[in-house]
Amino acid sequence: MATIKDRVKELTPAPVTGGLKRALVRYGQATASRRPLPDFLIIGTKRGGTTSLWNYLLRHPGVPHLFPAWNTKTSHYFEENWPRGVDWYRSHFPTERQRAAQSDRYGGPVRAGEAAPLYMFHPLAPQRVHELMPRVRLIVLLRDPVERAYSHWKERRTEGHEPLDFAAALAAEPARTAGERGRLIADENYFSEPYDWHTYRARGRYLEHLEPWLDRFERGQLLVLPSESLYREPAASYRRVLEFVGLPHFDPGEFRVYNDRRSAPMDPAVRAELTEYFRPYNRALAERLGIDFDWAS
């Protein structure tokens, strides 16, 4: 007689082998011409709630998962994987037939997308996206840059990429990232880990990184949401996002926070220094966008 353990083993999906992975990737690229480009991108900011929003959207019956299934929320095409080419990028999204079938199943439109918080910060991403998808919808989540920087550091620390304490990491940022932005601009195939990993302060100068997007896309193509609104009023923020991308209302159930990282409080002296540093940048951002951020006073 089969035991419960045997039954569980029988029902457990087999792991995806290297050979199967390669076959799925080849299939995706071979069918790239039948795979429309995405309708929307969540372009930032890192540690601003992009993973949470992406998971809320995936619960909507009109939002498909990326392909193959091990891709969680992004292809990293417009920054890390640019040399792979547009067919490789298209391979991550559903075919026209799959979109039609999904639409028929629930009786509404389908909107495909991805969430890549480095896109907003990468110097070449705005032009790359505009050349390929000039009508794409762009979603931006902006968090208090002081809290964002600390959360970014906690992530790097937890994952073993940051040996320095927060104050030391902030002090080391200019030397660690010196010349990296220039190298990204000069070499379209270059990818910089320091520019991604250790830009705690630089990423919080939001307007500096949003201007290239605002210059290229119509203002109506960008939805900018305070991350604090997503955390405090997730249902209302979710409704705004659905309306923006053209999806009907849907109740996803719970709105739990993904990738939350608990820790000791930030050192008050470091907080005070960062608050003063970001103050003029925050004010310029609020004036440019016409949005009242809790932290932009």
Side-chain angles (χ1 to χ4, degrees):
M1 177 182 292
T3 65
I4 294 177
K5 184 176 180 180
D6 293 333
R7 185 60 177 154
V8 169
K9 184 177 180 180
E10 177 183 312
L11 294 174
T12 300
V16 179
T17 65
L20 179 55
K21 280 189 175 184
R22 288 190 292 272
L24 287 171
V25 170
R26 287 195 298 269
Y27 170 74
Q29 291 182 258
T31 56
S33 64
R34 303 198 295 272
R35 296 176 182 272
L37 290 165
D39 304 287
F40 69 89
L41 301 176
I42 304 174
I43 62 172
T45 183
K46 185 176 183 64
R47 306 303 303 163
T50 57
T51 299
S52 293
L53 178 57
W54 176 248
N55 278 279
Y56 304 158
L57 286 170
L58 281 183
R59 292 184 207 152
H60 194 288
V63 178
H65 289 254
L66 295 184
F67 177 87
W70 61 80
N71 289 295
T72 54
K73 68 176 183 177
T74 181
S75 67
H76 293 290
Y77 176 60
F78 293 103
E79 15 94 345
E80 185 173 0
N81 291 312
W82 180 252
R84 295 178 182 268
V86 68
D87 282 353
W88 180 88
Y89 183 54
R90 282 181 177 272
S91 74
H92 291 77
F93 303 100
T95 63
E96 293 168 346
R97 176 180 290 184
Q98 289 167 336
R99 288 174 68 118
Q102 185 165 347
S103 178
D104 289 343
R105 279 196 300 272
Y106 96 98
V110 168
R111 297 290 185 266
E114 63 169 336
L118 184 54
Y119 285 175
M120 187 182 85
F121 187 54
H122 194 284
L124 300 182
Q127 185 61 30
R128 289 171 173 176
V129 172
H130 186 263
E131 288 178 353
L132 186 61
M133 303 181 295
R135 304 313 306 164
V136 73
R137 296 248 156 183
L138 304 166
I139 301 165
V140 183
L141 291 166
L142 298 182
R143 182 182 182 182
D144 178 345
V146 176
E147 297 296 341
R148 193 223 67 80
Y150 193 45
S151 183
H152 187 174
W153 171 81
K154 286 189 289 184
E155 179 185 71
R156 297 293 88 194
R157 184 82 160 181
T158 301
E159 294 178 354
H161 300 304
E162 180 53 85
L164 304 178
D165 65 33
F166 187 42
L170 289 170
E173 181 175 334
R176 282 171 155 181
T177 63
E180 291 301 293
R181 186 175 178 86
R183 289 185 67 183
L184 287 167
I185 295 171
D187 181 357
E188 67 174 14
N189 295 326
Y190 179 63
F191 177 74
S192 171
E193 286 183 344
Y195 190 77
D196 183 13
W197 288 357
H198 301 307
T199 42
Y200 308 114
R201 192 185 298 263
R203 284 203 192 212
R205 300 193 298 264
Y206 295 135
L207 186 56
E208 175 183 323
H209 311 300
L210 275 177
E211 283 289 9
W213 297 91
L214 293 167
D215 289 344
R216 290 169 173 80
F217 293 90
E218 297 292 332
R219 185 64 181 87
Q221 289 178 253
L222 279 87
L223 175 64
V224 180
L225 289 172
S227 300
E228 293 75 14
S229 295
L230 178 67
Y231 300 142
R232 186 173 55 243
E233 301 172 331
S237 297
Y238 187 59
R239 284 195 298 272
R240 286 189 65 188
V241 172
L242 294 182
E243 181 180 353
F244 177 71
V245 300
L247 287 170
H249 174 68
F250 176 76
D251 182 1
E254 66 170 355
F255 288 99
R256 78 177 183 87
V257 176
Y258 288 77
N259 286 349
D260 189 23
R261 295 179 185 274
R262 304 292 179 180
S263 70
M266 192 187 315
D267 180 89
V270 175
R271 178 182 293 279
E273 188 276 324
L274 282 177
T275 299
E276 284 305 307
Y277 174 81
F278 284 121
R279 193 180 305 279
Y281 298 105
N282 294 343
R283 286 175 175 167
L285 174 75
E287 291 175 5
R288 176 72 167 88
L289 298 180
I291 297 175
D292 292 326
F293 297 97
D294 294 344
W295 33 264
S297 59

